[in-house]
Amino acid sequence: MNSSSIARQLVRRRHAQGFAYIWTLLLVAFMGVGLVLASDLYATAARREKERELLFIGHEFRNALERYYASTPNDGRPRYPLTLQELLQDPRSANAKRHLRRLYADPVTGKAEWGLLLQQGRIVGIHSLSPQLPIKQDNFLDEDAGLRMKAHYADWVFTYPANLFIAQKDGEKKSGLSLGMK
């Protein structure tokens, strides 16, 4: 072999090493983009799951409020509970009567705190305290039609009866209802 052929082989090796380096950089870049896309998909799927949980828990509270209201005490007047604890252990009954198995945590905030809708000091509904924008904006059950096109999870209100909350034209809440915090 002469010196010119050795020089050409060295140049080819350097070019080959340069291309391998470029391909490695491109592979790392594509993997990074793929991971970003996968993490976005995962985050969206996780938020959708939290929304499904919020709907389930809201229905559980609504059903518990319905059972509490329907369980008329001795005076014959149905009423709503004063606290959420009364849904766990109904104080109006001598026997242990549970309308709700446990007080659920808000799946969106992760806290066991709920916004309370009060009417004459009694709880008629609950709502999340999260200011996040919901992903789900439509295709709710008929009983949840009031949840359509809401700007925040905090606007997802679960009352008994389901249509107790009536929005006014200017977006204000129906008179007689007040928001309380727990």
Side-chain angles (χ1 to χ4, degrees):
M1 274 214 248
N2 62 23
S3 64
S4 66
S5 67
I6 292 174
R8 275 184 273 184
Q9 284 180 352
L10 286 175
V11 168
R12 276 191 221 139
R13 275 193 200 151
R14 283 189 190 148
H15 286 303
Q17 288 174 348
F19 282 120
Y21 182 69
I22 290 173
W23 283 113
T24 304
L25 286 177
L26 285 174
L27 178 65
V28 169
F30 285 133
M31 288 174 56
V33 168
L35 286 173
V36 167
L37 292 175
S39 67
D40 284 347
L41 288 174
Y42 176 77
T44 301
R47 279 192 56 205
R48 286 187 188 278
E49 180 59 31
K50 287 179 181 181
E51 282 184 355
R52 281 191 288 276
E53 271 187 75
L54 180 59
L55 286 168
F56 171 78
I57 291 169
H59 292 159
E60 288 292 303
F61 273 106
R62 179 182 289 150
N63 293 337
L65 288 167
E66 178 182 13
R67 286 189 294 272
Y68 188 96
Y69 189 81
S71 297
T72 306
N74 294 336
D75 64 4
R77 290 186 2 233
R79 59 179 63 98
Y80 291 101
L82 289 169
T83 67
L84 292 178
Q85 295 296 329
E86 289 184 17
L87 295 174
L88 297 176
Q89 178 73 37
D90 193 342
R92 305 171 302 169
S93 175
N95 301 334
K97 195 170 201 177
R98 293 181 169 273
H99 303 285
L100 192 65
R101 298 181 114 194
R102 64 185 173 102
L103 290 180
Y104 296 95
D106 182 342
V108 180
T109 63
K111 299 177 183 174
E113 296 180 59
W114 294 95
L116 303 176
L117 285 165
L118 304 174
Q119 189 173 43
Q120 298 173 351
R122 295 191 172 269
I123 300 170
V124 297
I126 59 129
H127 65 87
S128 174
L129 296 175
S130 173
Q132 280 186 308
L133 174 70
I135 294 173
K136 185 176 178 86
Q137 293 290 320
D138 206 351
N139 298 323
F140 289 98
L141 298 173
D142 288 342
E143 62 191 17
D144 294 329
L147 306 181
R148 290 184 65 235
M149 307 307 283
K150 296 297 183 183
H152 310 283
Y153 288 116
D155 298 330
W156 284 19
V157 175
F158 300 94
T159 62
Y160 173 74
N163 62 356
L164 181 65
F165 174 76
I166 300 170
Q168 304 283 333
K169 287 182 184 176
D170 60 0
E172 292 296 315
K173 295 182 178 23
K174 178 180 175 183
S175 62
L177 287 180
S178 64
L179 293 176
M181 299 273 198
K182 172 136 175 119

